[in-house]
Amino acid sequence: MKNIEEITIRPVTEADAEKLLAIYAPYVTDTFITYEYTVPTVEEFRERIRNTLQAYPYFAAVENGRIIGYAYASAFHPRRAYLWSAEATVYLERGARGRGVGRLLYERLEEALKQQNVQNVNACIAYPNPQSIAFHEKMGYRAVGKFTDCAYKLEQWLGMIWMEKMLGAHENPPKEFIPYPEILKENGNKAEKFSSEGIDL
């Protein structure tokens, strides 16, 4: 009988900074998936987590007690009129790609954003990046804008593509945005377990 590995999706804490940074660092040094040039320190990364958690959800995917990926939301734009839009980000260990971990993280992230009354979720993707674009398309996102040769990394000019997904019905007026710490107080820091069988993203 086939062994089914369980993946747990749980909220991130600042104590996870070092493990999350270990996943993120190779994207900085070896790829143009992120346009960041220098790997942040653990303290800098911890501060990023702290800032995100003041208002938005941040989740880790855990398998056999080890974090193999993470996803979080952030402000789409700092001005108040954009409060009902958020940007989504996901990073996975190399060995976790293609196993559905990204899908699980995004589904949990979008569920949390809906609880916050966020109406639009956006993804900013380095271009070209056909794998990420295909993933987002399968998750229901559509391309809405492209910038050409706007970034330079690893000795090449690169673009950027924006994709979006509608989460809500855009009522007028919208329900008030709820910071994620308030959602956590209501729901508790619940972890969710998923089987990796039958997941194709």
Side-chain angles (χ1 to χ4, degrees), residues 127-147:
Y127 186 87
N129 189 344
Q131 185 177 13
S132 182
I133 292 170
F135 164 74
H136 282 86
E137 287 176 342
K138 287 182 180 180
M139 293 299 299
Y141 291 69
R142 67 184 183 96
V144 292
K146 178 183 173 185
F147 294 87

Side-chain angles (χ1 to χ4, degrees), residues 45-63:
F45 206 82
R46 186 176 293 112
E47 180 67 20
R48 294 181 187 185
I49 293 172
R50 185 181 304 127
N51 290 337
T52 297
L53 290 175
Q54 289 178 6
Y56 291 96
Y58 205 137
F59 295 107
V62 182
E63 183 178 48

Side-chain angles (χ1 to χ4, degrees), residues 152-177:
Y152 184 81
K153 186 178 180 183
L154 299 178
E155 300 183 347
Q156 57 185 313
W157 284 102
L158 302 157
M160 181 182 72
I161 188 168
W162 277 103
M163 302 185 75
E164 74 174 2
K165 181 178 181 177
M166 302 301 181
L167 296 182
H170 295 81
E171 298 173 352
N172 188 6
K175 296 178 182 176
E176 193 65 30
F177 173 84

Side-chain angles (χ1 to χ4, degrees), residues 27-97:
Y27 286 94
V28 177
T29 57
D30 304 336
T31 80
F32 55 75
I33 302 302
T34 173
Y35 287 164
E36 191 161 15
Y37 269 41
T38 304
V39 177
T41 66
V42 173
E43 185 50 46
E44 287 171 338
F45 206 82
R46 186 176 293 112
E47 180 67 20
R48 294 181 187 185
I49 293 172
R50 185 181 304 127
N51 290 337
T52 297
L53 290 175
Q54 289 178 6
Y56 291 96
Y58 205 137
F59 295 107
V62 182
E63 183 178 48
N64 298 324
R66 186 172 60 87
I67 295 176
I68 59 172
Y70 65 92
Y72 62 91
S74 55
F76 176 65
H77 193 284
R79 291 182 180 165
R80 179 170 172 78
Y82 293 97
L83 196 57
W84 294 270
S85 294
E87 182 179 346
T89 301
V90 61
Y91 287 100
L92 306 176
E93 274 190 351
R94 292 180 186 241
R97 297 176 195 170

Side-chain angles (χ1 to χ4, degrees), residues 103-147:
R103 174 181 164 188
L104 293 178
L105 284 164
Y106 254 37
E107 286 176 345
R108 185 65 189 90
L109 190 70
E110 290 174 9
E111 178 187 328
L113 290 171
K114 288 177 183 178
Q115 289 179 292
Q116 294 184 266
N117 296 321
V118 169
Q119 302 296 296
N120 295 23
V121 60
N122 305 281
C124 177
I125 303 168
Y127 186 87
N129 189 344
Q131 185 177 13
S132 182
I133 292 170
F135 164 74
H136 282 86
E137 287 176 342
K138 287 182 180 180
M139 293 299 299
Y141 291 69
R142 67 184 183 96
V144 292
K146 178 183 173 185
F147 294 87

